[in-house]
Amino acid sequence: MEGLVKCSANHVPLSPMSFLERAAFVYGDKASIVYGNTKYSWRETHGRCLRLASALSQMGLNRGDVACDNEVEIPCFWLRGKVAALAPNIPALYELYFGVPMAGAVLSALNTRLDPPMLALLLQQLEAKIICVDYQYVQIFLKALELISAEKAKLPFLVVIRDSNQGASSTTKEVPPCSLDYDRLLEMGKHDFEIIRPIDECDPITVNYTSGSTGTPKGAVYSHRATYLNSIAQIFRFEMSAKTVFLWTVDMFRCSGWCFTWAMAALGGTNICLRNVTAKVIFDSIFIHKVTHLCGAPTILNIIAEAPFAGHRPLATKVDLVIAGALPPLEILNNVHKLGFNVFHAYGMTEALGLVTVKSLDFDQCDRASIKDRDGVHNVVMEGVDVKDPTTMRSVPADGKTIGEVMLRSNTMMLGYLKNVQGTQDAFKNGWYGTSDLGVRDPDGHIRIKDRAVNAILNCEGNAISTLEIEAVLASHPAVEATAVVGRPDEWLGESPCAFVKLKEGRTTSSQDIIEFCGVRLPNYMVPGSVVFGDLPVNSTGKIQKFVLKEKAKDLGTLCHSNGHLVV
Amino acid sequence: MEGLVKCSANHVPLSPMSFLERAAFVYGDKASIVYGNTKYSWRETHGRCLRLASALSQMGLNRGDVACDNEVEIPCFWLRGKVAALAPNIPALYELYFGVPMAGAVLSALNTRLDPPMLALLLQQLEAKIICVDYQYVQIFLKALELISAEKAKLPFLVVIRDSNQGASSTTKEVPPCSLDYDRLLEMGKHDFEIIRPIDECDPITVNYTSGSTGTPKGAVYSHRATYLNSIAQIFRFEMSAKTVFLWTVDMFRCSGWCFTWAMAALGGTNICLRNVTAKVIFDSIFIHKVTHLCGAPTILNIIAEAPFAGHRPLATKVDLVIAGALPPLEILNNVHKLGFNVFHAYGMTEALGLVTVKSLDFDQCDRASIKDRDGVHNVVMEGVDVKDPTTMRSVPADGKTIGEVMLRSNTMMLGYLKNVQGTQDAFKNGWYGTSDLGVRDPDGHIRIKDRAVNAILNCEGNAISTLEIEAVLASHPAVEATAVVGRPDEWLGESPCAFVKLKEGRTTSSQDIIEFCGVRLPNYMVPGSVVFGDLPVNSTGKIQKFVLKEKAKDLGTLCHSNGHLVV
């Protein structure tokens, strides 16, 4: 067709940086961030991010010609590299999510609960040129640095983030001489900096490490396009508006803060930052700042339900609470609901930029099974959510029974794993992203997640048993505090369920009792053949490390049967 | 960065067709369309659109091998061409917005108020292979066809849309033998048709003719990407949700229905279709279907305000009413507001996919000037809205006074004008879309539209006078019903304002009176030098055709002055 063109007037690479520019224009005087005594407007946040980008850019562009702090010359590099961060949910980390891409660089916010060896491992993979570290994490960072035996040139330059809300401890704490203060960095920057836009909207914007529940964390790389679209999808699915007040209970380093970082700028809403997630902070923020949304891991439900002052003041407005992960017992859910929270349950993963499906829990359903019964729906930007046979790539029948792998196709998907060609290829084989989660399709086409594929137990008929269902039964045993089921080699069945059980303090029980308990509640083939008592190995985010238990189960040797009875 | 890929798992061309696929999955049983006795669910609408796409595809792919109607062989062509439509806001037109792109083709819904000569002109430019015409418009279409002296092969194949809601008149009305019924077309289609996705998301999806207020309508071509993003922007700015019930009072042929066509599928909301916009339809729909949103030209405000039964039943819920165009007198606005409507005022144009800025009218402001004072804000997807000097391309000072041209930069922008290379080049020169509208920038950066550039009057000092301000004063004259001001050659001033005035029935006044009335309300250089009484020329959408008046003013000759007094 004649007369059609693609030019800068009608085609601009999608990037969430645009949200901040518009927020400064449309919502200039509105509060962008509140953190203790610190308060910024969107105009101020935009200005600070511009200065941050400008300063980062100067460090990259003008070798030896930059302002100095503590008489230290700041190293130089071309900044289209990576900037790492190690900080809790404070304003500086929020600013880095905009300022780093505005300098043309890529941000990787690291898990603050990593130990020095793992931190060292990730830093070596990242090869970040700069790392911005909150004063509380400087010592851990320095310990990690000691473990890296690289040439000095490859070590990241340290920027220390002080915290005026924390009093003297933040500002006087000793830091290495070869470093710069975050505030000093901003002072170096110019307010009228012209931001560096991505050449291609599929250029990377952040590296997001997985939690590593199945091994070493992998660095999922997000693009400007994917984060732009996912930010909009988040707004859409939680019906957020300019009135949204978002409390940062979800880790800002996790999946780029589930993209709420950028979504809040698109909305012109208000971010309530915090250093530690406590019941007091949650309830105070709701009453003082009129929080409308908060998100995070299931532990938040426990924190809320168990707060001594919960319920003393009824919530003035409904608050939306989005939880990703296995739900706690119904009693806790009910308590949280009664306080006035709307609870949403999400299924997702780092690779898919956070949330994939979300559902609002219906508390008119009286039991946990019904509440948990089915998964939510995918967001408006996702192109496909299906359950497929991974060998034939055909959709499994929509019979609510046949198990397949949950697969996704979406513009809100990572570009791949950093420096892991094989991992990326495996994830994207056959034109879909394989989640490694097992699910079924209900007759109306909706999907239900059964388990992580890595946790599934294959019996000799080749059927996949979901360990989640066994774990749910075990969890209802009065003596059981926590449990995890993995497969153990089995002479008859190929593999049979092996239950690892942590008992409540002061409680005792026997393997036989556990097996009988399951026997009356589960089909025969799902009853654990072995039970092991003791503590369960967990990772930095509190997730049980099933891959460790799998090894333990293997070490137990093949389960033998005599006279048709299981030998435990 | 190693390990990153762009593949079908993480990169799917953006297209609003995806919204319908998801709606069928997520909102399958929900009402998609209600039209009189006709009601469809999203699953049904998806199925019908698939059948429509399949049938269109068959017509293109299988020459001479297609089902026949009235023993007529259906002509064959490769369907990646264009399909035209001429219909009011009925379900079939809604379906065409999905079904045509799903067949890999481009839709152009034409203005139903065009006369046969203009229709013939557009049909010749479009070269559509098929045209779907509502039974009421078949005669006009056939008259237009008679005016086209092309070979038969170039004429579009006629599909007639009957309307069971209209009784026998729709089904028995005679149509040419060489045509097909729309329902028959759908029957030809297969429900499991695999839709044809765009290869590039910037591929065209619709051709949208401008209203032609400044000359012959131009065909603004929209892309899959632009319409996808604008649909989301519409949802965002009106805070729409799955509960949205949209009453189709805005022409569905105009700017692809302001992209609400596709936005409603993204939401899974309900479309209330209608044949004619009347007060009865509006109020009945609000009460029966719980309409939440309606949109359109300012005439809707008059229809609502003047309805004899308006106010008899108070609206149970607030209804959002979006108006694009010059606002009527404050009295009418107040009446509509008192009935319970939230009124939004929009500024936009066909080239930018409809709405550019939107503001909610604040009725606490007591006068029209305050309500109309400033324009709204641009949507979240727009990258830039600015007022620039078109020669230097610099932003005008943010002083609220200096007039420049309003310019836009957005992914929600047309690809260009169909078969009009020069027009496209002119529109997109300097990397921005020039709106031809005059505006100023307020100190906080917000823009205010003053007038269409084409209507501005240049006096001898080279200053631009906005005719809008003069018209606003003239409209407040008690005897004036309608008015338009254009420039007239002037011996002293270069050009001076010439007012065309239509008086209220039974009222009389003189040129001198009008000039004196303006003299006490406007600066001297803005007072009209000439006044002409009579009817005003309007186009098919009721807009005053200023280009016609400009010619008239020119025909009046150069305005002469004697002794410093104006000679009228």
Side-chain angles (χ1 to χ4, degrees):
Chain A
M1 283 193 208
E2 217 189 355
L4 312 186
V5 296
K6 205 161 123 179
C7 63
S8 63
N10 67 6
H11 197 280
V12 182
L14 298 174
S15 167
M17 301 186 301
S18 297
F19 297 147
L20 181 58
E21 294 184 314
R22 179 174 169 276
F25 182 83
V26 175
Y27 311 105
D29 296 323
K30 266 193 74 185
S32 56
I33 300 176
V34 179
Y35 172 59
N37 300 322
T38 309
K39 196 171 170 179
Y40 298 118
S41 69
W42 281 109
R43 194 174 294 114
E44 286 168 329
T45 293
H46 181 231
R48 288 176 63 87
C49 293
L50 279 174
R51 291 220 306 276
L52 172 58
S54 163
L56 292 170
S57 202
Q58 280 176 56
M59 289 174 77
L61 294 169
N62 311 311
R63 178 186 284 268
D65 187 24
V66 289
C68 285
D69 194 64
N70 304 331
E71 304 294 302
V72 176
E73 193 178 302
I74 294 158
C76 161
F77 36 77
W78 173 235
L79 231 240
R80 283 188 187 257
K82 291 173 228 96
V83 175
L86 190 64
N89 294 350
I90 53 173
L93 184 54
Y94 188 84
E95 290 165 358
L96 285 161
Y97 273 104
F98 291 93
V100 173
M102 283 157 85
V106 174
L107 177 70
S108 185
L110 299 168
N111 188 336
T112 51
R113 287 181 282 280
L114 293 177
D115 53 16
M118 184 59 87
L119 193 55
L121 201 72
L122 301 192
L123 285 171
Q124 278 173 292
Q125 188 190 53
L126 260 182
E127 296 184 279
K129 309 290 178 163
I130 295 181
I131 183 164
C132 298
V133 181
D134 178 79
Y135 78 100
Q136 279 200 317
Y137 297 87
V138 168
Q139 294 311 315
I140 288 175
F141 166 70
L142 293 175
K143 272 184 205 156
L145 221 51
E146 281 170 21
L147 300 171
I148 304 177
S149 59
E151 322 91 79
K152 204 192 160 204
K154 281 212 166 179
L155 294 179
F157 179 79
L158 175 62
V159 174
V160 178
I161 307 165
R162 313 283 186 165
D163 188 337
S164 60
N165 277 317
Q166 298 298 308
S169 70
S170 150
T171 46
T172 58
K173 210 160 198 167
E174 263 187 40
V175 295
C178 186
S179 68
L180 188 66
D181 252 30
Y182 180 79
D183 287 341
R184 184 76 191 83
L185 183 72
L186 253 66
E187 280 165 24
M188 282 165 54
K190 295 204 177 81
H191 191 282
D192 60 352
F193 177 70
E194 193 144 329
I195 73 168
I196 299 169
R197 295 199 169 271
I199 296 160
D200 183 318
E201 65 193 28
C202 293
D203 284 351
I205 185 168
T206 52
V207 179
N208 305 268
Y209 281 96
T210 59
S211 63
S213 54
T214 56
T216 307
K218 285 179 284 212
V221 180
Y222 297 175
S223 70
H224 285 260
R225 172 183 168 101
T227 51
Y228 180 98
L229 292 171
N230 202 49
S231 300
I232 286 178
Q234 293 287 66
I235 291 168
F236 187 93
R237 85 176 104 194
F238 298 115
E239 295 179 12
M240 292 170 134
S241 74
K243 296 180 201 92
T244 296
V245 180
F246 188 84
L247 180 64
W248 274 101
T249 48
V250 67
D251 293 315
M252 219 185 270
F253 63 74
R254 177 123 20 240
C255 308
S256 299
W258 295 6
C259 294
F260 282 116
T261 41
W262 301 299
M264 288 306 290
L267 289 168
T270 301
N271 294 280
I272 311 298
C273 284
L274 46 79
R275 180 166 285 275
N276 298 302
V277 178
T278 64
K280 185 166 164 29
V281 166
I282 291 174
F283 282 91
D284 282 356
S285 299
I286 290 172
F287 285 101
I288 298 168
H289 303 299
K290 314 271 179 269
V291 167
T292 59
H293 292 77
L294 64 158
C295 309
T299 46
I300 292 188
L301 291 167
N302 298 316
I303 291 173
I304 291 174
E306 287 162 15
F309 41 85
H312 288 194
R313 294 180 291 181
L315 300 189
T317 51
K318 281 267 182 191
V319 180
D320 285 351
L321 174 57
V322 187
I323 298 299
L327 288 178
L330 185 66
E331 193 191 335
I332 290 179
L333 286 174
N334 271 333
N335 286 345
V336 172
H337 173 66
K338 274 184 208 144
L339 291 173
F341 292 88
N342 289 324
V343 186
F344 291 82
H345 187 214
Y347 159 71
M349 63 218 59
T350 307
E351 290 83 347
L353 277 71
L355 312 185
V356 171
T357 65
V358 175
K359 71 163 176 177
S360 173
L361 296 189
D362 177 3
F363 284 90
D364 295 336
Q365 304 283 346
C366 55
D367 62 305
R368 178 182 154 126
S370 305
I371 284 182
K372 291 200 59 178
D373 192 35
R374 53 190 299 157
D375 284 280
V377 295
H378 57 285
N379 75 58
V380 71
V381 176
M382 294 206 72
E383 294 289 332
V385 174
D386 203 358
V387 181
K388 289 173 177 287
D389 179 322
T391 49
T392 64
M393 285 306 283
R394 281 209 203 96
S395 299
V396 300
D399 57 9
K401 286 187 302 189
T402 311
I403 289 183
E405 186 178 353
V406 177
M407 299 205 181
L408 313 174
R409 176 175 270 184
S410 179
N411 285 301
T412 57
M413 182 63 67
M414 66 167 181
L415 290 166
Y417 297 117
L418 183 70
K419 298 181 186 170
N420 186 345
V421 176
Q422 189 59 49
T424 302
Q425 273 174 12
D426 290 349
F428 290 153
K429 63 172 183 263
N430 300 316
W432 288 72
Y433 169 69
T435 62
S436 296
D437 290 328
L438 299 179
V440 295
R441 284 173 69 216
D442 279 335
D444 63 0
H446 282 248
I447 64 161
R448 258 185 304 144
I449 316 295
K450 306 295 278 188
D451 202 350
R452 297 283 298 175
V454 71
N455 302 334
I457 295 167
L458 290 171
N459 70 18
C460 54
E461 278 100 41
N463 291 326
I465 302 173
S466 162
T467 60
L468 272 192
E469 290 174 43
I470 309 172
E471 287 161 8
V473 168
L474 285 167
S476 67
H477 186 288
V480 171
E481 181 175 320
T483 182
V485 176
V486 298
R488 174 183 173 184
D490 185 300
E491 64 164 353
W492 281 5
L493 302 168
E495 205 172 26
S496 69
C498 173
F500 286 83
V501 173
K502 182 184 177 182
L503 295 178
K504 287 178 182 162
E505 218 179 296
R507 299 297 293 261
T508 54
T509 185
S510 67
S511 295
Q512 202 52 45
D513 173 58
I514 294 284
I515 289 168
E516 279 168 11
F517 184 84
C518 292
V520 295
R521 289 167 176 83
L522 286 171
N524 212 29
Y525 69 94
M526 287 174 74
V527 176
S530 344
V531 180
V532 180
F533 295 103
D535 275 343
L536 303 176
V538 292
N539 71 0
S540 65
T541 62
K543 271 192 191 170
I544 296 170
Q545 293 173 300
K546 282 209 174 178
F547 65 98
V548 175
L549 295 176
K550 279 207 149 183
E551 286 306 308
K552 277 197 185 182
K554 218 180 268 171
D555 293 346
L556 293 175
T558 301
L559 186 65
C560 299
H561 303 258
S562 67
N563 302 324
H565 292 291
L566 292 174
V567 178
V568 182
Chain B
M1 283 193 209
E2 214 190 1
L4 312 186
V5 295
K6 203 161 125 179
C7 63
S8 63
N10 67 7
H11 197 280
V12 181
L14 297 174
S15 167
M17 302 189 298
S18 297
F19 298 147
L20 182 58
E21 293 184 317
R22 178 174 170 276
F25 181 84
V26 174
Y27 311 105
D29 296 323
K30 266 193 74 184
S32 55
I33 300 176
V34 178
Y35 173 59
N37 300 321
T38 308
K39 196 172 171 177
Y40 297 118
S41 69
W42 280 109
R43 195 174 292 113
E44 286 168 329
T45 294
H46 181 230
R48 287 176 63 86
C49 292
L50 279 174
R51 291 220 306 278
L52 171 58
S54 163
L56 292 170
S57 202
Q58 280 176 57
M59 288 174 78
L61 294 171
N62 311 311
R63 178 184 282 269
D65 187 25
V66 287
C68 286
D69 194 64
N70 304 331
E71 305 293 304
V72 176
E73 192 178 303
I74 294 159
C76 160
F77 36 77
W78 173 234
L79 229 240
R80 283 187 185 259
K82 291 174 229 96
V83 176
L86 191 62
N89 293 351
I90 54 172
L93 183 54
Y94 188 84
E95 291 164 357
L96 285 161
Y97 272 104
F98 291 93
V100 172
M102 284 157 84
V106 174
L107 176 71
S108 183
L110 300 168
N111 187 337
T112 52
R113 287 182 282 280
L114 293 176
D115 54 15
M118 185 57 87
L119 193 55
L121 201 72
L122 301 192
L123 285 171
Q124 278 172 293
Q125 187 189 54
L126 260 182
E127 296 185 281
K129 308 291 179 164
I130 295 181
I131 183 165
C132 299
V133 181
D134 177 79
Y135 79 100
Q136 279 198 319
Y137 297 87
V138 168
Q139 294 312 314
I140 287 176
F141 166 70
L142 294 175
K143 270 184 204 153
L145 221 51
E146 279 169 22
L147 299 172
I148 303 177
S149 60
E151 320 91 78
K152 205 190 160 207
K154 281 213 167 181
L155 295 179
F157 179 78
L158 175 62
V159 173
V160 178
I161 307 165
R162 313 283 187 166
D163 188 338
S164 61
N165 276 319
Q166 299 299 309
S169 71
S170 149
T171 48
T172 57
K173 211 159 196 168
E174 263 186 42
V175 294
C178 185
S179 69
L180 187 68
D181 253 29
Y182 181 79
D183 287 341
R184 184 77 191 81
L185 183 73
L186 253 67
E187 281 166 22
M188 282 165 53
K190 294 203 177 82
H191 190 282
D192 59 353
F193 176 70
E194 192 144 329
I195 72 168
I196 299 170
R197 294 197 170 272
I199 295 160
D200 183 319
E201 65 193 26
C202 293
D203 285 350
I205 186 167
T206 52
V207 179
N208 306 266
Y209 281 95
T210 59
S211 63
S213 54
T214 56
T216 307
K218 286 181 283 217
V221 180
Y222 297 175
S223 71
H224 285 260
R225 172 183 168 102
T227 52
Y228 180 98
L229 292 171
N230 202 49
S231 300
I232 285 178
Q234 293 286 66
I235 291 168
F236 187 93
R237 84 176 103 194
F238 298 113
E239 295 179 14
M240 293 171 133
S241 74
K243 298 181 200 92
T244 296
V245 179
F246 187 85
L247 180 65
W248 273 101
T249 46
V250 66
D251 292 315
M252 218 185 272
F253 63 73
R254 174 119 24 236
C255 309
S256 298
W258 295 6
C259 293
F260 282 115
T261 41
W262 301 299
M264 288 305 291
L267 289 168
T270 302
N271 293 281
I272 311 297
C273 285
L274 47 78
R275 180 166 285 276
N276 298 303
V277 178
T278 64
K280 185 167 164 30
V281 165
I282 291 174
F283 282 90
D284 282 356
S285 299
I286 291 171
F287 285 101
I288 298 167
H289 303 300
K290 315 268 178 271
V291 167
T292 58
H293 292 77
L294 64 159
C295 308
T299 47
I300 291 187
L301 292 167
N302 299 316
I303 292 174
I304 290 173
E306 287 162 15
F309 41 86
H312 289 193
R313 294 180 290 181
L315 299 190
T317 50
K318 281 267 181 191
V319 180
D320 285 351
L321 173 57
V322 188
I323 298 299
L327 288 178
L330 187 66
E331 192 191 336
I332 290 179
L333 286 175
N334 271 333
N335 286 345
V336 171
H337 174 66
K338 275 186 208 140
L339 291 173
F341 292 87
N342 290 323
V343 186
F344 292 82
H345 187 215
Y347 158 70
M349 62 219 59
T350 307
E351 290 82 348
L353 278 73
L355 311 185
V356 171
T357 66
V358 175
K359 72 162 176 177
S360 173
L361 296 190
D362 178 2
F363 284 91
D364 295 337
Q365 305 281 348
C366 55
D367 62 306
R368 180 182 152 128
S370 306
I371 284 183
K372 289 198 63 178
D373 192 35
R374 52 191 297 157
D375 284 279
V377 295
H378 57 286
N379 75 58
V380 72
V381 176
M382 293 206 74
E383 294 290 331
V385 174
D386 202 358
V387 181
K388 288 174 179 286
D389 179 321
T391 48
T392 65
M393 284 307 282
R394 282 212 202 95
S395 300
V396 299
D399 58 8
K401 287 187 300 190
T402 312
I403 290 184
E405 185 178 354
V406 178
M407 300 206 180
L408 313 174
R409 176 174 270 184
S410 179
N411 285 301
T412 58
M413 182 60 68
M414 66 166 181
L415 291 166
Y417 297 118
L418 183 70
K419 297 181 186 170
N420 186 346
V421 176
Q422 190 59 49
T424 303
Q425 274 174 10
D426 291 347
F428 290 152
K429 62 173 183 263
N430 301 317
W432 288 72
Y433 168 70
T435 62
S436 295
D437 290 329
L438 299 180
V440 296
R441 285 173 69 215
D442 278 336
D444 63 359
H446 282 249
I447 63 162
R448 258 186 304 143
I449 314 297
K450 307 294 278 189
D451 202 351
R452 297 282 299 174
V454 71
N455 303 334
I457 295 167
L458 289 171
N459 70 18
C460 54
E461 279 100 40
N463 292 325
I465 302 173
S466 162
T467 60
L468 273 190
E469 290 174 42
I470 309 172
E471 286 161 9
V473 168
L474 285 167
S476 68
H477 187 286
V480 171
E481 181 175 321
T483 183
V485 175
V486 297
R488 175 183 171 183
D490 185 298
E491 64 165 349
W492 282 5
L493 303 167
E495 205 171 24
S496 69
C498 173
F500 287 84
V501 173
K502 184 184 176 184
L503 295 177
K504 287 179 183 162
E505 220 178 295
R507 299 297 292 261
T508 53
T509 185
S510 67
S511 295
Q512 203 52 43
D513 172 58
I514 294 284
I515 289 168
E516 280 167 10
F517 183 83
C518 292
V520 294
R521 289 168 178 82
L522 285 171
N524 211 29
Y525 69 96
M526 287 174 75
V527 176
S530 345
V531 180
V532 180
F533 295 102
D535 275 342
L536 303 174
V538 293
N539 72 359
S540 64
T541 62
K543 271 192 191 170
I544 296 169
Q545 293 172 300
K546 283 210 173 176
F547 64 98
V548 175
L549 296 176
K550 279 205 147 184
E551 286 306 308
K552 277 198 183 178
K554 217 180 271 172
D555 293 347
L556 294 176
T558 301
L559 187 64
C560 299
H561 303 257
S562 69
N563 301 326
H565 293 289
L566 290 174
V567 178
V568 182

